[in-house]
Amino acid sequence: MIPFVSPLAQYQAHRSEIRAAIDRVLDSGWYILGESVSQFEHAFADWTGMPHAVGVGNGTDSLVLALLAAGVGPGDEVITVSHTAVATVSAVATTGATPVLVDVCPQRYTLAPALLEAAYSPRTKAVIAVHLYGQPADLAAIQTFTQRHGLLLIEDCAQAHGARWQGQRVGSVGDLSCFSFYPTKNLGAIGDGGLVACRDPQRFERLQLLRQYGWKQRYISDMHGLNTRLDELQAAILLAKLPCLDADNAARRARAQRYRERLQGLPLQLPPDVADCEAVYHLFVIQLDDRDGLQAALKEAGIQSLVHYPVPVHQQPAYQATQRLPQPLPVTERLARRVLSLPMFPELPLEQVDEVADAIHRFFAA
Ligand SMILES: *Cc1c(COP(=O)(O)O)cnc(C)c1O
């Protein structure tokens, strides 16, 4: 069987550093908001290229806190995409703001900047650009729009730790950027974790308060806050794994390159390869007409594959009443019918990439 992802292979690859980090935390007797969280926040901020970072409970909460720190709330609108993990839209709804969902561009599968002007209203407060599948969004054009209207740009980097846009890492371009450390993400914890990075020192202070009951001083809430803390164990594990992230991303790119070589010429569309961007292949996503047929054939051959995502957020029951859709979303709806994610993780043997490619060749030859 060829698995789609393998958090176990990740753990085994970093076993001794992870176990040493866990032991250090256990022996320290300090398990919430201590040295490990603060060291990881500094290390990750440096690595990403943002001045400040706040560790939180998960990626969804990182988006909620970024929006709250930006002052987003009921009556406001936030423009983002429907072609994303539901968490992006769920976070907007959690603040009481209205998600305004626009289509993606067929070149990158990320927010189509040309549609932003038509989605704008006087209530618009922020734009969330999602670097989906590890592919940087078109930040130049999106930033032109946010700057013209004085809006905040939030980057959802949950699938793109370390991806580069014009040489710069994603998450260092917007006003705030959000990360998830769910075990299968490019940087994964052994459980849940997330982080918000930001540029502005006042927003940094707000984020720290929002993370823990609005406390500046213990037991005194200066503002309404949540409880969403990155814990010491996860922070220590992430700190131990961070030095390997560039190598892990390079391993993903090598597997993507192998897929490209082995799949070229077939009647399917390979992932975007955009000039001036370096993708980190959180997922390796192909497009084809008979997606369901290929998925069934791969399953028959013992190869796991997944669809990201089968039902676009704008068609899901939960958001029918809250969302605003300025325009139809034909590219999003077409992608939902055609995308298929192939096995992809840094430890995936190249021979297994070849086996997947061989199975796809057999499918088209049949
Ligand atoms: C995983 C993910 C999130 C949410 O992260 P969690 O840690 O699972 O809450 C948000 N946005 C995108 C694009 C994601 O892939």
Side-chain angles (χ1 to χ4, degrees):
M1 208 266 294
I2 300 183
F4 179 74
V5 287
S6 178
L8 179 60
Q10 237 326 259
Y11 166 58
Q12 283 163 342
H14 306 286
R15 192 171 191 276
S16 59
E17 307 94 279
I18 290 174
R19 298 194 80 105
I22 291 173
D23 276 343
R24 263 199 316 281
V25 173
L26 294 184
D27 289 335
S28 78
W30 191 278
Y31 306 135
I32 292 287
L33 297 188
E35 277 299 301
S36 299
V37 168
S38 125
Q39 278 175 23
F40 176 66
E41 288 170 342
H42 283 105
F44 195 82
D46 279 353
W47 186 84
T48 300
M50 268 297 210
H52 309 289
V54 177
V56 297
N58 56 67
T60 310
D61 283 352
S62 76
L63 288 157
V64 173
L65 253 64
L67 291 162
L68 293 176
V72 170
D76 295 329
E77 292 187 344
V78 176
I79 303 175
T80 191
V81 287
S82 170
H83 184 58
T84 181
V86 75
T88 315
V89 180
S90 146
V92 176
T94 297
T95 68
T98 300
V100 178
L101 303 180
V102 300
D103 213 352
V104 291
C105 65
Q107 290 77 24
R108 304 179 187 235
Y109 311 167
T110 59
L111 196 150
L115 304 176
L116 283 168
E117 214 50 73
Y120 177 80
S121 89
R123 292 166 177 257
T124 311
K125 257 291 191 26
V127 174
I128 304 177
V130 184
H131 306 300
L132 200 72
Y133 306 155
Q135 169 65 49
D138 187 356
L139 290 173
I142 296 169
Q143 212 167 25
T144 302
F145 169 80
T146 55
Q147 285 172 354
R148 179 182 318 130
H149 292 287
L151 308 175
L152 283 157
L153 174 55
I154 299 173
E155 295 179 68
D156 181 343
C157 307
Q159 300 190 2
H161 319 60
R164 287 184 189 273
W165 169 86
Q166 297 189 356
Q168 228 179 310
R169 289 201 201 270
V170 302
S172 66
V173 180
D175 298 290
L176 294 132
S177 49
C178 302
F179 293 84
S180 163
F181 306 118
Y182 184 83
T184 59
K185 303 286 163 124
N186 292 47
L187 179 61
I190 311 283
D192 276 312
L195 177 141
V196 194
C198 76
R199 195 178 308 288
D200 175 68
Q202 263 135 34
R203 247 173 239 138
F204 173 49
E205 204 193 330
R206 265 173 82 85
L207 286 167
Q208 288 175 305
L209 266 57
L210 285 163
R211 162 172 72 181
Q212 182 170 236
Y213 318 124
W215 285 355
K216 195 178 283 176
Q217 222 182 313
R218 207 179 179 112
Y219 307 129
I220 299 171
S221 296
D222 273 38
M223 59 164 67
H224 170 67
L226 284 69
N227 170 12
T228 176
R229 299 173 294 222
L230 180 64
D231 71 65
E232 283 285 290
L233 271 178
Q234 299 304 337
I237 292 165
L238 292 164
L239 189 61
K241 289 180 71 180
L242 183 59
C244 311
L245 181 50
D246 284 319
D248 279 350
N249 281 340
R252 287 176 183 271
R253 277 198 296 278
R255 275 135 196 85
Q257 188 51 34
R258 184 75 152 235
Y259 272 129
R260 283 184 192 281
E261 285 160 19
R262 299 296 303 260
L263 297 177
Q264 65 174 347
L266 290 173
L268 55 77
Q269 195 173 327
L270 290 166
D273 190 10
V274 179
D276 244 11
C277 285
E278 190 176 78
V280 289
Y281 296 98
H282 173 60
L283 299 169
F284 189 88
V285 178
I286 58 170
Q287 261 194 79
L288 72 163
D289 292 334
D290 189 10
R291 183 265 314 278
D292 294 341
L294 177 59
Q295 187 170 32
L298 290 177
K299 188 174 177 205
E300 196 67 27
I303 297 165
Q304 286 184 343
S305 62
L306 289 173
V307 173
H308 299 92
Y309 295 90
V311 180
V313 179
H314 73 279
Q315 292 177 335
Q316 298 190 17
Y319 300 105
Q320 297 301 314
T322 44
Q323 70 196 359
R324 184 165 77 77
L325 295 180
Q327 286 167 336
L329 290 82
V331 181
T332 295
E333 290 173 14
R334 184 175 150 87
L335 284 169
R337 290 190 301 271
R338 290 170 50 88
V339 288
L340 187 66
S341 309
L342 302 179
M344 170 57 80
F345 50 96
E347 299 79 14
L348 178 68
L350 286 171
E351 303 74 58
Q352 295 196 349
V353 174
D354 293 343
E355 281 179 51
V356 176
D358 290 344
I360 297 174
H361 276 273
R362 285 198 302 275
F363 169 77
F364 283 112

